[in-house]
Amino acid sequence: MVLAGTFRAHATAVVESDSIGDGTAIWAYSHVLKGASVGRRCNIGDHCYIESGASIGDDVTIKNLTAIWEGVTIENGAFIGPGVTFTNDVYPRSPRMKQAENRYRGREWLAKTVVGEGATLGAGSVVVAGLTIGAHAFVGAGAVVTHDVPSFALVIGNPARVQGWVCVCGSRLEFVQTSTKCESCGMKFRQTEKGLEPLRPPGGADA
Amino acid sequence: MVLAGTFRAHATAVVESDSIGDGTAIWAYSHVLKGASVGRRCNIGDHCYIESGASIGDDVTIKNLTAIWEGVTIENGAFIGPGVTFTNDVYPRSPRMKQAENRYRGREWLAKTVVGEGATLGAGSVVVAGLTIGAHAFVGAGAVVTHDVPSFALVIGNPARVQGWVCVCGSRLEFVQTSTKCESCGMKFRQTEKGLEPLRPPGGADA
Amino acid sequence: MVLAGTFRAHATAVVESDSIGDGTAIWAYSHVLKGASVGRRCNIGDHCYIESGASIGDDVTIKNLTAIWEGVTIENGAFIGPGVTFTNDVYPRSPRMKQAENRYRGREWLAKTVVGEGATLGAGSVVVAGLTIGAHAFVGAGAVVTHDVPSFALVIGNPARVQGWVCVCGSRLEFVQTSTKCESCGMKFRQTEKGLEPLRPPGGADA
């Protein structure tokens, strides 16, 4: 582990970006490319790849064996499990194949993905390009996400379907009629037509 | 990046094969073993592994975090997404376990896989050993392929099932009765009992 | 490949543990942390990560691109396929997020996983934390394991369900009423309410 400015990088890592926040750690055999942006106090495990144009907020945890492509934005406090697979093209072909050359001349193929604040992408999950994972949502291990995920929703399966709701702290929420209180941290929510809404802002949840 | 002969390899890559085509690029922390064959103008992302006995054609794109084993053949112009998992044994046990030693003395355990010309294996997909993915077929993200995939078929899910058909260029095809024309590139197809058949050879599709 | 004591490690591997058994091989870009325990005659493929607190028995095969976390125990003779994803937290959040700090102060979040003797985890499978995979069980490629797996059971799918039974040697077992004999190696079993029971101990199977 060597100290490079104010972030740390393992001796085997390759860090080409000059936009990495204070207190971030980048572990073995990981590669952060020039033009990638990584926030403060992040932890990036072994064998990761952060591409030019990827944007990662503060306090994000990225476990091992994950590649974050151009077009992927990960907001503050998100958890990206081991072996999570992102994409940035809805119907990829090899750009080197003659019949696909036209499509890859421009940038219209690039589909963006947003992982909201404090969300969790479970181990081995796969996220199809062009989707938004809502704040504090929870994608279960091995899920294949093919639609947007509402904030606070728990989704599992292939394709991933909403199976319940979770608190900011990660605990499952059980609803009595249309409102609930997290039994673990005490935070309160109500159900609306669009999904879940905290009754107090997340930052005040443990007040 | 260093120039080794006529292909390029990242400084952290380990390239032991002497059969790598002109114009191919091999990126960080990737390992190409002696006896592996890689064609021309390929792009092999970070954290890949190409085993002795694997065979890769020309113009192939292999994204990050993929291992290509002995027994796997990837034909010209195919796209292998990030985190795709191949296999070459239908019911693997640890060869070091006493009760499995007999089975691994010979080579009968080795089951071959072929990925046809211009096919796509979506991000995080898994391919069971011994199968053929037809030319220009499209395996969706996170699919688990347990049967042969017809040429031009789109398969998704676990286990993967045919959900539609795609053009050489990657666009979805909508059939009017038994024939169709790609709205993106204009290529024409007809449906037969065995699957899809182009009305003109793929090479002339964009003529 | 360099000889370090009595095990071998590729020149690009980082081995910090002083608890690695005789005859074990650790391949390229793999990282074995201080405090990880690896038995004798194991084979650990490229791009693997063995964390402090992980415990691996003798004669284990771990294929490429797998991370073995603290809390995971792999017993003798198991086979861990390529791209297998383990976990050790049932509802992870980023420990760096303010609202999750409390939870990660202690160690109650840590959920243990056991992979029994001679079991197989198929390529690309995902194992939710806190489960036991029984001895000689077989988890199919791409399966997402969300419940304990009985010894000798074959499970597939997302979520993984029992689809049949396998012998110690890996072959499928076909039952005539309540007992069966492996057509490949001759081992005999009977079905009980709890699952499968060998009529002779596995060690004597090929006697």
Side-chain angles (χ1 to χ4, degrees):
Chain A
M1 205 56 161
V2 296
L3 196 68
T6 55
F7 68 89
R8 293 175 297 157
H10 191 274
T12 61
V14 174
V15 180
E16 295 156 350
S17 169
D18 53 9
S19 176
I20 296 180
D22 292 1
T24 283
I26 297 163
W27 296 98
Y29 311 112
S30 277
H31 188 187
V32 183
L33 279 81
K34 194 168 171 60
S37 171
V38 180
R40 294 170 293 176
R41 300 174 300 276
C42 291
N43 198 65
I44 298 174
D46 285 27
H47 305 108
C48 286
Y49 174 86
I50 319 288
E51 196 170 56
S52 307
S55 175
I56 296 168
D58 296 333
D59 302 314
V60 170
T61 298
I62 298 177
K63 300 295 287 184
N64 303 25
L65 296 163
T66 287
I68 316 285
W69 311 108
E70 176 183 6
V72 177
T73 297
I74 299 177
E75 298 188 344
N76 296 344
F79 175 90
I80 311 300
V84 168
T85 306
F86 287 98
T87 57
N88 64 5
D89 186 356
V90 179
Y91 58 103
R93 291 300 200 187
S94 177
R96 289 144 195 92
M97 178 175 64
K98 183 179 156 64
Q99 298 94 333
E101 277 176 2
N102 268 339
R103 180 154 182 259
Y104 293 103
R105 232 160 241 148
R107 303 291 284 168
E108 291 80 9
W109 59 269
L110 183 69
K112 295 183 177 179
T113 298
V114 176
V115 179
E117 187 176 338
T120 291
L121 295 188
S125 59
V126 176
V127 182
V128 167
L131 302 179
T132 296
I133 315 294
H136 308 292
F138 195 107
V139 174
V144 178
V145 182
T146 59
H147 292 86
D148 286 346
V149 178
S151 296
F152 301 103
L154 165 67
V155 301
I156 62 172
N158 179 357
R161 309 275 190 209
V162 177
Q163 293 290 320
W165 302 91
V166 294
C167 185
V168 168
C169 75
S171 302
R172 284 295 288 269
L173 296 170
E174 301 301 334
F175 277 78
V176 179
Q177 297 192 10
T178 60
S179 70
T180 188
K181 181 179 171 184
C182 175
E183 291 189 4
S184 174
C185 77
M187 192 171 169
K188 292 170 187 167
F189 298 87
R190 67 174 172 196
Q191 263 180 327
T192 71
E193 284 183 8
K194 291 187 178 179
L196 213 60
E197 193 175 275
L199 288 179
R200 285 188 294 174
D206 52 2
Chain B
M1 206 58 159
V2 296
L3 197 69
T6 54
F7 67 91
R8 295 176 297 155
H10 191 274
T12 61
V14 174
V15 180
E16 296 156 349
S17 169
D18 54 8
S19 176
I20 296 180
D22 292 1
T24 283
I26 297 164
W27 295 98
Y29 311 114
S30 277
H31 189 186
V32 183
L33 279 80
K34 194 168 170 62
S37 172
V38 179
R40 294 170 292 176
R41 299 173 302 276
C42 291
N43 198 65
I44 298 174
D46 284 27
H47 305 109
C48 287
Y49 173 85
I50 317 288
E51 196 168 57
S52 308
S55 175
I56 296 167
D58 296 333
D59 301 313
V60 171
T61 298
I62 298 178
K63 300 295 288 184
N64 303 26
L65 295 163
T66 287
I68 315 285
W69 311 108
E70 176 183 4
V72 177
T73 297
I74 298 177
E75 298 188 345
N76 296 345
F79 175 89
I80 311 299
V84 168
T85 305
F86 287 99
T87 58
N88 64 6
D89 185 355
V90 179
Y91 60 103
R93 290 300 201 187
S94 177
R96 288 141 196 94
M97 178 175 65
K98 185 179 157 62
Q99 297 95 333
E101 276 176 3
N102 268 339
R103 181 156 181 259
Y104 293 103
R105 231 160 243 148
R107 302 291 285 168
E108 292 79 11
W109 59 270
L110 184 69
K112 296 183 177 179
T113 297
V114 176
V115 179
E117 187 175 338
T120 290
L121 295 187
S125 59
V126 176
V127 182
V128 167
L131 302 179
T132 295
I133 315 295
H136 307 291
F138 195 107
V139 174
V144 177
V145 181
T146 59
H147 292 88
D148 287 345
V149 177
S151 296
F152 301 103
L154 164 68
V155 301
I156 63 171
N158 180 358
R161 309 276 189 207
V162 176
Q163 294 289 320
W165 303 91
V166 294
C167 184
V168 168
C169 74
S171 302
R172 284 294 288 269
L173 296 171
E174 303 299 334
F175 278 78
V176 178
Q177 297 194 11
T178 60
S179 69
T180 188
K181 180 179 170 183
C182 176
E183 291 190 4
S184 175
C185 76
M187 192 169 168
K188 292 171 188 169
F189 297 87
R190 67 175 173 195
Q191 262 180 328
T192 71
E193 286 183 6
K194 291 186 176 181
L196 212 60
E197 192 176 275
L199 289 179
R200 285 187 294 175
D206 51 2
Chain C
M1 204 57 159
V2 296
L3 197 69
T6 55
F7 67 91
R8 295 175 297 157
H10 192 274
T12 61
V14 174
V15 180
E16 295 156 349
S17 169
D18 53 9
S19 177
I20 296 180
D22 293 1
T24 283
I26 297 164
W27 295 98
Y29 311 112
S30 277
H31 188 185
V32 183
L33 278 81
K34 195 167 171 60
S37 172
V38 180
R40 293 169 293 177
R41 298 173 302 274
C42 291
N43 198 65
I44 298 174
D46 284 27
H47 305 109
C48 286
Y49 173 85
I50 318 287
E51 196 169 57
S52 308
S55 176
I56 296 167
D58 297 333
D59 302 312
V60 170
T61 298
I62 298 177
K63 300 295 288 183
N64 303 26
L65 295 163
T66 287
I68 315 284
W69 310 107
E70 176 183 4
V72 177
T73 297
I74 298 177
E75 298 187 346
N76 296 344
F79 175 89
I80 311 300
V84 168
T85 306
F86 287 99
T87 58
N88 64 6
D89 186 354
V90 178
Y91 59 103
R93 290 299 201 190
S94 177
R96 288 143 195 93
M97 177 174 66
K98 184 180 156 63
Q99 298 95 331
E101 277 177 3
N102 269 338
R103 181 156 182 257
Y104 293 102
R105 231 158 243 149
R107 302 292 284 168
E108 291 80 9
W109 59 269
L110 184 69
K112 296 183 178 179
T113 298
V114 176
V115 179
E117 188 176 337
T120 290
L121 295 187
S125 59
V126 175
V127 183
V128 167
L131 302 180
T132 295
I133 314 295
H136 308 292
F138 195 108
V139 173
V144 178
V145 181
T146 60
H147 292 88
D148 287 345
V149 178
S151 296
F152 301 102
L154 165 68
V155 301
I156 62 172
N158 179 358
R161 309 275 190 208
V162 177
Q163 294 290 321
W165 302 91
V166 294
C167 185
V168 168
C169 74
S171 301
R172 285 294 288 269
L173 295 171
E174 302 299 334
F175 278 78
V176 178
Q177 299 194 8
T178 60
S179 69
T180 188
K181 181 178 170 182
C182 175
E183 291 189 5
S184 174
C185 76
M187 193 169 166
K188 293 171 187 168
F189 298 86
R190 67 176 171 194
Q191 263 180 327
T192 70
E193 285 183 6
K194 292 186 176 179
L196 212 61
E197 193 175 274
L199 289 179
R200 285 188 294 174
D206 53 1

